[in-house]
Amino acid sequence: LFCCQGCSSHELGAKLAFFPPSPASYLVARTAANKHVARYIDLQMQIDWGRVLGQYRLDILPTARGQSICTFYIAHPEATLTLVVSHGNALDVGLFVPFGRHLSDELKVNICAYDYTGYGCSSGVPNIMDTYSDIEAVVDHLVYRVGQDPRRIVLYGQSIGSGPSCQYAARCGGANDSKIQGSNSRRRQTLDMHSNHTREHSSRGGRSGGDGGGDDGGGGSSGDNEGD
């Protein structure tokens, strides 16, 4: 089995793990206004769900690994959170769209679902490393182009989508931990400096009081001598 896959564990793992629908459930076209639009290939699906599919904003994003992936975004007027949906295996975003709309309505959230490399109308062949760069491209798009607050983005992974979701969350969490640790370290340094300054000031005050007491004692002794 390894020999059939060129003796590569990564390629073997990809063959065993990923099952993108073939053909994809949708196709992408470009309008005269240079806007990407999607429609279902199956006529009955287009009749049933084509209107919902058209409510999503379609963007094609470049990834750090040189692929182009399709993202579908739908906004809710009362949303305070955005769900980044990494869908399950053996389906593409087109098949998720109806449930995504229901999820948006029920939870009052924005939904951004995307197709991994090699799924739907995204380019390339699916593999593990590409899923990591795929979700990174989606979050960067939401933050830097759509203007979403990164603190209000929730990663939602289904089945195989839990892999990139957890990996990205762990990596970003580690980065935030480093920032927090750095901030705490600076805070401790500030407190230590303040504590040292307070102790030094107290020490000086104590020495000054002791010297004054000695002077008074010396004066009393002088008075006694005079009395004698």
Side-chain angles (χ1 to χ4, degrees):
L1 185 58
F2 273 92
C3 292
C4 292
Q5 300 304 323
C7 298
S8 167
S9 59
H10 288 290
E11 292 182 11
L12 177 62
K15 287 290 184 180
L16 296 176
F18 299 104
F19 299 96
S22 183
S25 67
Y26 65 96
L27 54 82
V28 174
R30 191 188 296 269
T31 67
N34 203 33
K35 178 183 176 183
H36 291 102
V37 294
R39 61 172 292 118
Y40 288 107
I41 295 175
D42 181 80
L43 179 59
Q44 190 58 51
M45 288 188 67
Q46 180 62 25
I47 293 172
D48 293 340
W49 298 109
R51 183 180 62 83
V52 176
L53 182 64
Q55 293 172 353
Y56 282 77
R57 167 179 151 181
L58 169 60
D59 290 293
I60 299 179
L61 311 180
T63 75
R65 289 174 59 87
Q67 303 298 341
S68 298
I69 59 170
C70 296
T71 66
F72 290 77
Y73 177 85
I74 189 167
H76 191 282
E78 300 177 36
T80 58
L81 297 173
T82 297
L83 263 61
V84 173
V85 179
S86 300
H87 61 68
N89 213 345
L91 76 155
D92 57 30
V93 171
L95 301 174
F96 175 83
V97 156
F99 177 68
R101 177 56 195 269
H102 172 73
L103 202 62
S104 176
D105 291 341
E106 289 297 312
L107 300 181
K108 294 180 173 58
V109 295
N110 306 319
I111 296 287
C112 184
Y114 67 100
D115 266 327
Y116 315 114
T117 293
Y119 277 70
C121 291
S122 296
S123 66
V125 176
N127 68 79
I128 295 171
M129 298 309 295
D130 271 308
T131 62
Y132 298 158
S133 64
D134 293 343
I135 192 171
E136 182 176 7
V138 174
V139 175
D140 285 352
H141 169 73
L142 288 174
V143 173
Y144 298 114
R145 294 184 60 187
V146 180
Q148 296 285 343
D149 183 347
R151 295 169 298 181
R152 311 303 297 172
I153 293 176
V154 178
L155 306 182
Y156 170 44
Q158 296 179 328
S159 180
I160 202 168
S162 60
S165 298
C166 290
Q167 191 271 350
Y168 187 85
R171 183 157 53 87
C172 289
N176 287 334
D177 287 344
S178 297
K179 292 178 182 178
I180 292 171
Q181 289 171 4
S183 176
N184 289 340
S185 177
R186 289 190 296 273
R187 189 178 296 113
R188 283 194 299 269
Q189 291 174 2
T190 302
L191 291 174
D192 289 343
M193 291 174 62
H194 177 72
S195 178
N196 291 337
H197 177 74
T198 302
R199 285 197 297 269
E200 183 179 353
H201 181 73
S202 299
S203 177
R204 288 177 179 175
R207 287 197 299 270
S208 176
D211 293 344
D215 291 338
D216 292 339
S221 175
S222 175
D224 291 340
N225 292 334
E226 291 176 358
D228 291 335

